[in-house]
Amino acid sequence: MYVRTLRPVLTGTVISAYAAVLVVAGLLVTGGVDFARAASEEHLCRADTSGDERISRDEAVSAVSAFLTGSPDWDRSQVTDVVAAFLLGRTLDCPGGITVPEPQTPNGEAVIALGSGSVNDQNGRNQAQSPEIVHYYGIGETMFLRGQDDTALPWLATAWSIENDLSGATLTIAEGVKFHVVDGNDFGDLTAHDVAFSMNDANATTNPNSIHGQAGDFAGLFKEWIAVDDRTVIFDFESFDIMWKDDFLNQSGQAFSVFSKTAFDTMGEDWVRDNIVATGPYQPVEWLRDTKLVMESVPNHWKFVPRTNRIWVLEIGEPATRFAMLQTGAADVADIDPADAPQFVNGGFGVASTGDGRQEGLFFSGNLWEKFSAREGEGEGEPNETLLTRGTYVNDFPWIGDPFSTNDPGDMEEARLVRRALAIAIDRDAIVDSVLGGIGKPNMVQYFSTDHPNWDSKWDYYYDPAEARSIISGLQDANYFRGAADNSNLNGNAFEIPIYSQSGNTTIRGEIADAVAGFWADLGLETYSLKYTYRLFRPGIVGRTNVLPWITGCDQGRESTLWHEPKGLVQSSLSRGGFSCGFESPEITDFYLRMAHAPDQATATQAANEYLDYVYFWNLQPGVVTIPQDVYYNPNKIAAWDMGKSSTSKTGNYWNLELQ
């Protein structure tokens, strides 16, 4: 029997083979059955087999026993599929994908089932943390839109200019933009005064009481915004950042929504806290926090003509429930767990995406190459002579290079070669097929998409285990820590290497780590995969003491991250005291500052290319795979949904959702 390797229902925490034996033996049957029954039975549709016999107890025991004795015919995920099927009394004969159902939703309306946090607070006050979904869903609007070429397109700001010295900017605000009529109250047309009010209300510098999601980001970027007339806003930068219009003022980014100052002045802060007076193509008509949002198109919107008049967004936290809703036609669109996505794709369901695939990469912690802090000294513009603590060099681990070593001047090159070998030992295509069920793609270098027009194959990590063995075997006078590795392997250069992945709600990340560890073991290394809570792992990252390679997205690991977006802040001592990817480099600090302070996209792109060359050469953050963050729709109800691009939201451009 061949069981197709998707993520099985019983592997919420990837059960061990020993636990599987206990389940089959009846010692854990109660808990196992309860857990299995809580999931949709269709999660067991994972095989291409013939016949309709159900899985027997003997078959389940036999499968586990074969796995434990090292049979090449069984792997962990196949065994747990069989155990799950045995517990539910199901057959594993599920040819093809899930059949597209007839819609059960109201005619002329779209019902969308999304995960936790998708319907949070109905909140029309930026100070009170009006959520980003207001502009993601098209209820509110902001200054710019993201173009397909990653340029900032005009939205509420129809034009902009920037001072030659990057000290400030001017925005021209659109005319003829009407605010929504709420409870019979007409608040008139948008002016520059509404725009300035909305930003200043969110910015922690101009409003210390603000708890807006980007209050701190705005404070570090903008000084007070001033409306000089009804159509013009001016402001100075607190500190210029190339992303000011590409992210912080952009519909596809973190941004803010523009609300009516007149509504605030006339109705009061309590009223606007509970009522959204914005300008988008949709307006909420029913909003129940953490449950549902119903919104309807605004007649004669100034910019967009929504293709669907009425849209329901349902917050459904349980993935199995969203699965069942899309499968049965109770939802027209759903956010589906990536491990279950192949069943819908194979069945002919549609796919919509903002391009926001989650990149999982391999980060080699412990490589702390900055001697002094990158932050300015006590005097403005003075260098900082504060020596940085670097506690990761107590032991000489093979993947960590010490640029300050006096005993081993070749340590940096030796570690670079080791990281290179580890990177090319990974069969990324096999991980896509086995862990992601064929839905996903290889990722070469974290933060960069291989689908981007700027990508060059010179940055590819080709799969070449023979070359990887040759690199490690050929190391001369390697005196690094070998641990429990078999010293007869790899010309005596084999070593012990762990890999960490976060436990909890990131099961696929753990399976990716297991696969990477397996490929390293195939080289002849002693490997083990560590999975435990991130709360225990994080102190080592913040304190710069971690030496474990780890699988992570590391802050900007998104397929749709803009190419010219500044990268490297969390790979620099600029972020000491906070999160880090685990390594630091003075060159990366320089690349980050050049990207952040670039006057235009072309200049930032040049610095991004140099950063990419650098991290590729030193093999600091090889990518592994990209996990799709798509949503899936019933083609019997939905004709198309062009969401545009976003690096912060799974959905967008709701006005483009088109019914059959």
Side-chain angles (χ1 to χ4, degrees):
M1 178 185 294
Y2 170 69
V3 181
R4 190 176 179 198
T5 310
L6 303 178
R7 185 154 52 97
V9 69
L10 289 183
T11 55
T13 55
V14 190
I15 67 171
S16 66
Y18 179 66
V21 172
L22 294 179
V23 170
V24 174
L27 299 179
L28 295 180
V29 165
T30 300
V33 170
D34 288 345
F35 187 82
R37 283 177 178 164
S40 165
E41 289 191 358
E42 286 297 331
H43 281 228
L44 296 175
C45 228
R46 310 184 190 281
D48 296 317
T49 64
S50 59
D52 58 0
E53 295 89 358
R54 298 184 182 277
I55 300 299
S56 69
R57 184 189 190 90
D58 289 343
E59 285 177 304
V61 172
S62 175
V64 174
S65 299
F67 171 74
L68 291 175
T69 56
S71 170
D73 297 329
W74 293 95
D75 65 22
R76 183 189 302 275
S77 59
Q78 292 170 336
V79 169
T80 47
D81 270 342
V82 170
V83 172
F86 160 69
L87 290 171
L88 288 178
R90 288 292 303 264
T91 174
L92 283 180
D93 181 22
C94 304
I98 295 173
T99 302
V100 177
E102 286 303 312
Q104 304 300 309
T105 53
N107 291 332
E109 304 179 16
V111 176
I112 303 171
L114 300 179
S116 298
S118 55
V119 183
N120 37 30
D121 198 10
Q122 181 177 5
N123 183 340
R125 178 83 193 273
N126 281 327
Q127 174 189 287
Q129 201 173 14
S130 179
E132 284 86 350
I133 63 169
V134 171
H135 69 265
Y136 293 153
Y137 294 175
I139 297 169
E141 298 180 288
T142 191
M143 300 297 100
F144 300 99
L145 286 160
R146 179 174 174 177
Q148 288 299 317
D149 61 354
D150 292 343
T151 56
L153 303 177
W155 197 358
L156 289 181
T158 59
W160 61 274
S161 62
I162 193 167
E163 302 297 330
N164 291 333
D165 61 359
L166 308 182
S167 61
T170 300
L171 302 178
T172 301
I173 305 304
E175 295 186 66
V177 179
K178 294 188 177 298
F179 279 108
H180 300 159
V181 175
V182 180
D183 293 342
N185 298 291
D186 188 338
F187 298 102
D189 288 3
L190 171 84
T191 71
H193 300 280
D194 301 299
V195 173
F197 160 76
S198 297
M199 167 53 79
N200 294 334
D201 194 45
N203 189 332
T205 293
T206 51
N207 181 5
N209 294 321
S210 175
I211 58 170
H212 188 274
Q214 277 64 251
D217 294 315
F218 293 155
L221 184 58
F222 302 117
K223 294 183 180 180
E224 182 182 8
W225 283 29
I226 300 171
V228 296
D229 57 39
D230 283 351
R231 302 271 70 86
T232 309
V233 171
I234 62 172
F235 57 83
D236 288 336
F237 289 106
E238 180 67 40
S239 177
F240 179 81
D241 189 311
I242 186 68
M243 297 299 291
W244 72 275
K245 66 183 186 307
D246 300 326
D247 182 12
F248 299 108
L249 304 182
N250 201 290
Q251 183 263 354
S252 73
Q254 299 174 84
F256 72 103
S257 289
V258 176
F259 299 124
S260 169
K261 183 177 185 298
T262 299
F264 178 82
D265 292 339
T266 59
M267 306 299 288
E269 59 181 290
D270 290 340
W271 188 89
V272 298
R273 169 63 179 78
D274 297 326
N275 294 273
I276 296 175
V277 184
T279 62
Y282 282 101
Q283 183 172 6
V285 295
E286 186 177 358
W287 193 315
L288 183 60
R289 181 172 181 164
D290 303 329
T291 303
K292 69 176 177 179
L293 162 63
V294 183
M295 55 188 188
E296 293 182 351
S297 61
V298 174
N300 303 314
H301 186 261
W302 73 279
K303 189 174 182 68
F304 299 110
V305 179
R307 300 180 180 183
T308 300
N309 178 58
R310 188 177 175 95
I311 295 177
W312 300 58
V313 179
L314 306 181
E315 180 170 326
I316 308 295
E318 173 53 52
T321 304
R322 298 195 300 273
F323 183 110
M325 291 178 70
L326 186 60
Q327 176 199 2
T328 60
D332 303 312
V333 184
D335 174 11
I336 297 298
D337 190 293
D340 296 320
Q343 300 173 69
F344 290 95
V345 174
N346 294 339
F349 284 75
V351 182
S353 173
T354 60
D356 193 30
R358 192 180 86 215
Q359 294 179 338
E360 296 293 349
L362 175 64
F363 286 77
F364 288 103
S365 293
N367 287 284
L368 304 179
W369 300 344
E370 286 184 292
K371 187 174 184 179
F372 299 105
S373 173
R375 296 174 179 171
E376 288 187 351
E378 295 182 3
E380 184 176 350
E382 291 183 2
N384 195 324
E385 296 183 356
T386 302
L387 283 170
L388 296 170
T389 56
R390 299 184 307 114
T392 59
Y393 295 102
V394 175
N395 294 300
D396 185 3
F397 292 110
W399 56 91
I400 298 177
D402 186 354
F404 308 109
S405 174
T406 57
N407 299 323
D408 188 2
D411 192 53
M412 286 288 284
E413 178 63 9
E414 178 183 87
R416 184 186 76 83
L417 291 173
V418 166
R419 294 191 298 271
R420 172 74 181 177
L422 294 171
I424 64 175
I426 301 169
D427 188 342
R428 291 161 175 81
D429 289 311
I431 295 177
V432 169
D433 290 340
S434 63
V435 177
L436 304 184
I439 305 296
K441 71 186 189 73
N443 172 28
M444 294 299 167
V445 182
Q446 201 71 356
Y447 306 161
F448 294 92
S449 172
T450 57
D451 292 333
H452 196 282
N454 291 345
W455 184 261
D456 192 303
S457 60
K458 69 179 182 179
W459 296 307
D460 286 352
Y461 283 109
Y462 51 85
Y463 174 53
D464 193 340
E467 175 65 15
R469 292 188 188 94
S470 176
I471 290 173
I472 297 175
S473 298
L475 296 174
Q476 300 296 315
D477 302 320
N479 59 0
Y480 47 64
F481 177 74
R482 287 168 169 75
D486 186 342
N487 60 16
S488 67
N489 288 340
L490 300 172
N491 197 29
N493 289 336
F495 52 86
E496 179 180 308
I497 181 169
I499 184 169
Y500 168 80
S501 62
Q502 179 179 350
S503 64
N505 294 326
T506 52
T507 312
I508 288 183
R509 183 174 287 171
E511 294 178 22
I512 293 168
D514 289 344
V516 170
F519 287 120
W520 289 350
D522 290 344
L523 296 180
L525 304 178
E526 183 72 21
T527 67
Y528 46 97
S529 180
L530 301 175
K531 302 183 187 72
Y532 52 89
T533 176
Y534 179 69
R535 290 188 178 185
L536 293 177
F537 182 76
R538 180 178 167 82
I541 288 297
V542 174
R544 295 350 188 227
T545 58
N546 178 55
V547 296
L548 301 177
W550 58 313
I551 297 293
T552 178
C554 203
D555 196 37
Q556 292 173 288
R558 295 287 186 178
E559 189 72 4
S560 54
T561 294
L562 283 82
W563 191 276
H564 65 279
E565 184 173 332
K567 303 168 182 70
L569 177 61
V570 290
Q571 300 164 349
S572 161
S573 60
L574 289 170
S575 63
R576 283 253 173 162
F579 176 79
S580 167
C581 293
F583 54 80
E584 296 172 342
S585 159
E587 288 81 5
I588 289 179
T589 297
D590 180 65
F591 293 135
Y592 166 74
L593 293 173
R594 286 172 54 199
M595 283 182 268
H597 298 156
D600 52 53
Q601 183 172 325
T603 305
T605 296
Q606 176 59 39
N609 290 341
E610 293 178 37
Y611 166 87
L612 177 52
D613 284 336
Y614 179 85
V615 295
Y616 178 81
F617 175 79
W618 288 104
N619 308 300
L620 290 169
Q621 57 194 59
V624 182
V625 293
T626 295
I627 303 170
Q629 300 294 289
D630 306 330
V631 297
Y632 299 85
Y633 62 81
N634 183 337
N636 289 336
K637 182 68 174 287
I638 306 297
W641 189 0
D642 179 2
M643 293 185 173
K645 296 173 69 175
S646 176
S647 55
T648 56
S649 177
K650 181 174 286 190
T651 59
N653 292 10
Y654 277 64
W655 52 86
N656 283 335
L657 193 159
E658 183 175 0
L659 301 179
Q660 292 287 6

